[in-house]
């Protein structure tokens, strides 16, 4: 098992290195092509290899934007199989952090919660891989307040760390009803940059594909690198109006 994981890891890193070299070569060819089309001087650092780069431009495929890369490989089963999310906490969690983990489990349909105990992170990751877990979520706290969330996609990443602030839990709100556990529709707003699209992939692939008649909506809205989380259910009051109810 360990040899197989090491081999897969080497193959993954080799593909990433090849893709990086190909991307750098493509950027150099694009600079030469643009300089020739606009009748400008070729950049100094490219003059020695300009003839070779210009010759290889003839064989480039203009429709190659859809070629897959290691980023596509990370989520190649997204939408085909439902994600299997595992939620755990830092060591010796407070009662409030355990409560937050239970509430977070309700956000992700089909998620499971695991008591951390004395297990190390490496042992948790190996156990998750063996059991087909696609994403591991680890919650951290400071004096009973949740302050951090690690989202790690298995087996090779990506891994993202999110700082949590202004956390309001369902237990803090009196007379709050039950929460819908239907597969939610997602609203992803403000993730237009290259990094933003990467972060949005990390978040949206934690959720399975919803049914068309699902009345549950989860929103991730990015503004100035602060991601606001909103959770609603809706019902149609008539053919023109919709009534929203926020779920914490």
């Amino acid at each position: 098992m360990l040899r197989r994981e090491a081999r897969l890891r080497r193959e993954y890193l080799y593909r990433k290195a090849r893709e990086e070299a190909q991307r750098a070569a493509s950027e150099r060819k694009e600079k030469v092509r643009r300089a020739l089309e606009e009748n400008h001087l070729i950049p100094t650092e490219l003059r020695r290899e300009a003839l070779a780069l210009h010759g290889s431009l003839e064989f480039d495929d203009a429709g190659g934007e859809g070629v897959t890369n290691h980023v596509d490989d990370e989520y190649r089963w997204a939408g085909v199989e439902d994600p299997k999310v595992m939620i755990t906490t830092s060591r010796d969690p407070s009662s409030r952090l355990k409560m937050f983990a239970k509430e977070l489990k309700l956000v992700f349909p089909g998620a499971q919660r695991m008591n951390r105990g004395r297990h190390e992170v490496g042992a948790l990751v190996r156990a998750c891989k063996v059991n087909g877990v696609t994403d591991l979520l680890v919650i951290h706290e400071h004096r009973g307040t949740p302050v951090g969330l690690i989202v790690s996609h298995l087996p090779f990443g990506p891994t993202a760390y999110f700082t949590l602030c202004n956390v309001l839990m369902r237990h803090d709100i009196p007379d709050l009803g039950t929460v819908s556990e239907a597969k939610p529709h997602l609203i992803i707003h403000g993730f237009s940059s290259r990094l933003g699209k990467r972060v949005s992939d990390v978040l949206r692939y934690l959720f399975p594909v919803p049914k068309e008649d699902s009345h549950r909506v989860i929103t991730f809205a990015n503004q100035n690198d602060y991601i606001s989380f909103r959770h609603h259910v809706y019902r149609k009051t008539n053919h023109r109006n919709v009534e929203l109810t926020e779920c914490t």
Side-chain angles (χ1 to χ4, degrees):
M1 186 67 183
L2 293 177
R3 287 183 178 180
R4 180 176 179 272
E5 285 190 8
R7 176 176 57 81
L8 292 175
R9 181 69 178 173
R10 286 197 302 270
E11 291 176 356
Y12 175 76
L13 293 175
Y14 174 73
R15 288 200 307 273
K16 284 187 68 173
R18 285 289 303 274
E19 288 165 14
E20 183 64 26
Q22 291 172 358
R23 185 186 63 80
S26 178
E27 289 179 354
R28 292 199 302 272
K29 286 189 283 188
E30 179 63 22
K31 289 179 180 179
V32 172
R33 184 191 62 79
R34 194 181 304 117
L36 293 174
E37 287 182 353
E38 298 175 358
N39 199 24
H40 291 164
L41 289 175
I42 294 175
T44 307
E45 68 274 11
L46 299 177
R47 290 178 184 176
R48 289 187 177 181
E49 54 180 345
L51 288 176
L53 291 172
H54 181 258
S56 62
L57 284 172
E58 301 178 6
F59 303 101
D60 281 357
D61 182 9
E65 298 85 359
V67 177
T68 58
N69 55 26
H70 75 278
V71 176
D72 300 317
D73 280 346
E74 292 166 353
Y75 295 105
R76 62 184 179 278
W77 299 116
V80 179
E81 297 178 356
D82 287 350
K84 192 173 179 182
V85 178
M86 181 65 70
I87 300 172
T88 189
T89 63
S90 54
R91 289 182 176 178
D92 299 323
S94 64
S95 59
R96 188 170 175 80
L97 189 65
K98 292 179 182 177
M99 211 177 294
F100 181 68
K102 291 179 182 178
E103 295 187 6
L104 197 63
K105 177 178 176 290
L106 299 176
V107 173
F108 304 103
Q112 296 180 338
R113 186 173 61 88
M114 177 174 60
N115 292 328
R116 173 70 178 269
R118 295 182 178 275
H119 298 297
E120 296 180 352
V121 173
L124 292 177
V125 171
R126 287 193 294 272
C128 288
K129 288 180 179 179
V130 170
N131 290 279
V133 172
T134 59
D135 297 274
L136 175 63
L137 276 60
V138 183
I139 315 165
H140 294 274
E141 66 176 340
H142 178 68
R143 296 182 179 178
T145 302
V147 294
L149 174 65
I150 296 175
V151 180
S152 182
H153 182 69
L154 302 177
F156 302 128
T159 297
Y161 179 83
F162 298 94
T163 299
L164 304 178
C165 57
N166 300 326
V167 175
L168 180 65
M169 295 197 290
R170 292 175 54 82
H171 288 78
D172 299 330
I173 303 175
D175 302 325
L176 194 64
T178 58
V179 62
S180 171
E181 295 188 39
K183 297 177 180 178
H185 296 284
L186 298 180
I187 298 175
I188 308 290
H189 176 73
F191 296 85
S192 56
S193 66
R194 183 179 178 184
L195 177 60
K197 291 177 181 177
R198 192 91 162 104
V199 173
S200 70
D201 285 346
V202 171
L203 294 173
R204 67 192 177 101
Y205 287 133
L206 294 172
F207 298 88
V209 177
K211 296 182 179 179
E212 291 185 4
D213 58 352
S214 175
H215 287 188
R216 185 184 180 195
V217 180
I218 286 179
T219 303
F220 294 99
N222 176 41
Q223 185 174 14
N224 298 326
D225 292 336
Y226 284 88
I227 302 174
S228 299
F229 171 83
R230 290 292 182 269
H231 185 188
H232 295 89
V233 291
Y234 73 89
R235 67 182 185 90
K236 294 182 179 179
T237 55
N238 53 50
H239 69 284
R240 296 185 62 183
N241 298 319
V242 172
E243 182 180 289
L244 282 177
T245 303
E246 186 162 12
C247 309
T248 304

